[in-house]
Amino acid sequence: MGEPVALGDIQETLLIPLYGRALDAGKKNSVLHDRKAAELVDAIDYDFAKFRGPSLGGSVTRASIFDQYVRDFLAEHPDGRVVDLGCGLSTRFQRLDNGRVRWFDLDVDDTMALRRKFFSDSDRYTMLAGSIFDTDWHTTVSANDGLVFLLSEAVLLYFDADEVTAVLSSIARAFAGSKLAIDTGGKAMMSTQDRNPVFKAVAARMKWVCDDPSTLESCGLRLLESRTFAQPQPDVARTWPPLYRYGLKAIGWTPMVSTYKLNLFECTPA
Ligand SMILES: C[S@@+](CC[C@H](N)C(=O)[O-])C[C@H]1O[C@@H](n2cnc3c(N)ncnc32)[C@H](O)[C@@H]1O
């Protein structure tokens, strides 16, 4: 009998990218080589097979683009701090650990309780139970020298626009000079989610529509990079199998690809 899951609606969606990474780990041309994800899928009592469709591979391409944003930060700041807000059962720390980074993974109570069954804190790795919308984690993760990289992957999409802009403004004020990576989805993606096979299998729905990530500059963020699956970093593209590398480029003009963006900002509050 595997580990049972009792997760809220948004929290349950973490099982989609987990399964996507587990399937990827079993492939000959795996992108992330996330064998821990495959172990977790085996250990958790859940009907993962109900998840189907392109979002599973999308979880892998998304994670690899976010990974590269973090890698670039760590190349410049090997002793820096990284904070993954809404980490789910991500293994990003395990994938990118350079032996020096100080890493924080934050997620809400029920997700963190599940995560703690499979991961342990260490001297450079801390799991925090809490909400991105709280502010108590701000001081916990802050560094004296200000070198913090924040990311939140497939989390803010599930909240209302006014909640998202409020939390982004609060993060921008608290972490001036730091970088923040988040994903945004345009109308075309949001309006078709009921037809997406993975969303047929869960209750949660994405709510925040953002057609133009540069509009978030009004929250005190400066847009540094905005990528779609058709425009991964060259180092990332080289790790993708041809189907992703050339296939996604070929359909890059379609609204499904062109309106989902993986963005990198700098916090520059007024
Ligand atoms: C689609 S999953 C993404 C998980 C992870 N980032 C990944 O890509 O594998 C959405 C995540 O948002 C988390 N979440 C929901 N509400 C949250 C909140 N208020 N603060 C932080 N995380 C939250 C869920 O627990 C879940 O882990």
Side-chain angles (χ1 to χ4, degrees):
M1 196 57 186
E3 188 64 42
V5 284
L7 295 170
D9 287 348
I10 299 178
Q11 292 85 308
E12 185 181 1
T13 62
L14 73 86
L15 300 168
I16 303 168
L18 176 70
Y19 188 50
R21 296 194 313 273
L23 292 179
D24 171 68
K27 292 185 178 156
K28 209 168 57 212
N29 48 6
S30 170
V31 174
L32 298 172
H33 305 281
D34 190 348
R35 279 182 278 282
K36 176 88 175 175
E39 271 172 41
L40 297 186
V41 163
D42 285 344
I44 291 172
D45 183 18
Y46 188 82
D47 175 20
F48 286 97
K50 69 182 180 176
F51 296 139
R52 290 164 201 279
S55 292
L56 295 171
S59 308
V60 173
T61 47
R62 179 183 76 212
S64 63
I65 290 174
F66 271 89
D67 278 4
Q68 190 62 38
Y69 284 148
V70 180
R71 255 191 225 107
D72 290 345
F73 169 77
L74 290 178
E76 261 187 76
H77 307 292
D79 300 303
R81 294 186 165 216
V82 177
V83 188
D84 190 339
L85 302 160
C87 57
L89 288 174
S90 169
T91 56
R92 180 162 285 116
F93 170 67
Q94 290 72 19
R95 290 201 296 274
L96 303 185
D97 184 15
N98 62 357
R100 290 164 68 178
V101 61
R102 181 75 180 89
W103 194 289
F104 297 88
D105 270 346
L106 175 129
D107 211 309
V108 289
D109 290 358
D110 50 353
T111 296
M112 214 23 111
L114 179 65
R115 186 174 178 89
R116 283 194 177 281
K117 308 237 189 230
F118 302 108
F119 297 88
S120 304
D121 287 345
S122 67
D123 52 341
R124 291 183 297 101
Y125 175 68
T126 304
M127 290 178 280
L128 302 169
S131 167
I132 189 172
F133 298 101
D134 297 335
T135 52
D136 23 342
W137 58 267
H138 290 184
T139 41
T140 312
V141 307
S142 288
N144 294 336
D145 55 8
L147 299 182
V148 179
F149 187 97
L150 305 125
L151 71 117
S152 191
E153 178 185 2
V155 178
L156 294 173
L157 303 173
Y158 291 94
F159 293 91
D160 289 321
D162 51 351
E163 292 177 281
V164 174
T165 50
V167 77
L168 291 178
S169 303
S170 159
I171 288 174
R173 278 193 303 276
F175 296 97
S178 291
K179 291 191 177 156
L180 168 72
I182 56 167
D183 46 346
T184 49
K187 229 178 280 116
M189 178 176 133
M190 295 299 172
S191 60
T192 52
Q193 56 185 310
D194 283 344
R195 298 204 296 272
N196 181 333
V198 294
F199 282 107
K200 286 188 178 152
V202 292
R205 288 292 177 271
M206 299 180 287
K207 296 189 197 165
W208 175 39
V209 176
C210 177
D211 280 304
D212 178 2
S214 74
T215 58
L216 300 175
E217 297 206 339
S218 63
C219 299
L221 298 170
R222 186 164 68 89
L223 186 59
L224 302 174
E225 281 182 54
S226 188
R227 298 182 178 277
T228 68
F229 287 163
Q231 304 150 325
Q233 300 93 331
D235 284 349
V236 169
R238 278 191 279 277
T239 68
W240 287 5
L243 183 66
Y244 294 167
R245 189 169 175 180
Y246 303 111
L248 287 166
K249 207 174 203 165
I251 59 165
W253 58 274
T254 62
M256 279 309 292
V257 178
S258 66
T259 67
Y260 181 54
K261 299 199 168 131
L262 302 307
N263 312 289
L264 181 67
F265 294 94
E266 183 183 353
C267 299
T268 52

